[in-house]
Amino acid sequence: MRIRIDHRTTYRYDAPASSLVQALRVTPCEHAGQHLIDWRVDADIDGSFRDSRDAFGNRITMFYADGPVSEMTLIVTGLADVTDMAGLVNAEETLPPTAYLRTTELTRSDPGLAALAERFRGEAPLATVHGLCSAIYNEMRFEVGMTGTATSAGDALAAGHGVCQDFAHIFVTAARLLDVPARYVSGHLARDEAQEAAHAWAEAYVPDIGWIGFDPTNGISPTDHYLRVAIGLDYLDAAPIRGARRGGGAESLSVSVDAAAAMHQSQA
């Protein structure tokens, strides 16, 4: 499937910021199952870009701008071909699977998460992760505006609702409690309508198989509608955009994501 991306993030400041630094994890890595045809990262203000990789192997674009800046839009556009790999991930790895057993503040355990994990203890690893995905999908409600980027997996599970970020955090936390390496994934899910954010799901490492993707928000493994962009221990490692600024006062943010199937042009 060919996926077209138009991802725009606009920042507005009450007072002009004198300088900005933004770290963008918005460019996918190529691997078996996904190939970039065209990709561009841009901004509507003057600044400089620098590309690098982080410890997880994610592609990072740093953007630097001097002020005064009252408003800025970061623009990501591209085309990618994606193949349905039945959830299997065959990507270049920079860290061993055991690195993804580490706990973070967003994925720390609590009694509710421990109880969820215990329901699947003793099962085969593949059955465990499929069971976790189904349980979270069936027992959590998708609800926008009730959680934020600082909401932990335990708090979201206790509330019983959240967004894709929360569902992914719950999955990776419970999996790690069962000694199954698991990681957070940010990316895009091609849909027919515009979206207010990128998508998030998880991957778990199963011996003799490798890394497998799970989307507990939708109760499935990723298909050719999913474009994988960045990975990490939690949202903070894989967030599409994180940054810092000097000055600017209060900040408002708006995001528009158009991730949709693109028609192949026929050859004459």
Side-chain angles (χ1 to χ4, degrees):
M1 179 177 181
R2 182 160 294 180
I3 297 177
R4 171 181 48 80
I5 300 296
D6 188 326
H7 181 185
R8 296 169 186 261
T9 305
T10 299
Y11 294 87
R12 296 180 179 88
Y13 308 107
D14 286 350
S18 59
S19 64
L20 297 166
V21 179
Q22 300 283 344
L24 293 81
R25 291 174 174 84
V26 294
T27 302
C29 294
E30 293 192 301
H31 55 77
Q34 68 180 37
H35 170 68
L36 298 188
I37 301 167
D38 183 44
W39 206 266
R40 181 178 176 85
V41 181
D42 208 345
D44 68 348
I45 63 171
D46 291 335
S48 60
F49 291 92
R50 188 181 70 203
D51 294 328
S52 63
R53 300 260 184 166
D54 67 13
F56 301 102
N58 300 318
R59 297 175 66 173
I60 302 179
T61 300
M62 299 297 300
F63 176 67
Y64 305 89
D66 293 327
V69 178
S70 297
E71 182 174 327
M72 170 188 65
T73 298
L74 298 168
I75 306 153
V76 183
T77 55
L79 281 172
D81 276 338
V82 182
T83 302
D84 190 341
M85 302 291 289
L88 296 176
V89 180
N90 185 11
E92 181 181 355
E93 298 291 342
T94 61
L95 298 172
T98 52
Y100 295 97
L101 290 170
R102 291 172 51 197
T103 298
T104 69
E105 281 300 304
L106 293 175
T107 61
R108 64 184 182 276
S109 180
D110 70 5
L113 288 161
L116 172 63
E118 283 301 315
R119 289 159 55 181
F120 302 96
R121 189 172 297 280
E123 295 189 12
L126 185 59
T128 291
V129 286
H130 275 291
L132 276 176
C133 183
S134 295
I136 297 166
Y137 170 71
N138 289 317
E139 298 169 22
M140 290 284 293
R141 299 191 315 276
F142 185 87
E143 198 164 351
V144 177
M146 305 300 292
T147 57
T149 57
T151 301
S152 69
D155 288 344
L157 180 64
H161 55 237
V163 294
C164 55
Q165 169 188 304
D166 304 302
F167 285 54
H169 280 155
I170 293 168
F171 180 96
V172 300
T173 305
R176 290 170 188 166
L177 288 171
L178 295 168
D179 296 321
V180 176
R183 60 195 182 193
Y184 183 98
V185 184
S186 68
H188 298 288
L189 172 56
R191 296 170 175 154
D192 293 332
E193 70 277 354
Q195 305 157 49
E196 296 183 355
H199 194 48
W201 59 95
E203 292 172 355
Y205 184 81
V206 177
D208 300 323
I209 297 177
W211 287 101
I212 307 172
F214 293 92
D215 180 5
T217 303
N218 292 296
I220 62 173
S221 286
T223 66
D224 57 355
H225 284 65
Y226 289 71
L227 181 61
R228 181 180 183 268
V229 177
I231 59 173
L233 295 173
D234 60 23
Y235 163 81
L236 296 177
D237 292 329
I241 302 175
R242 295 183 68 192
R245 57 187 166 87
R246 181 172 297 171
E251 173 187 281
S252 63
L253 170 68
S254 62
V255 179
S256 172
V257 180
D258 185 2
M263 297 296 293
H264 290 265
Q265 290 185 339
S266 59
Q267 299 297 316

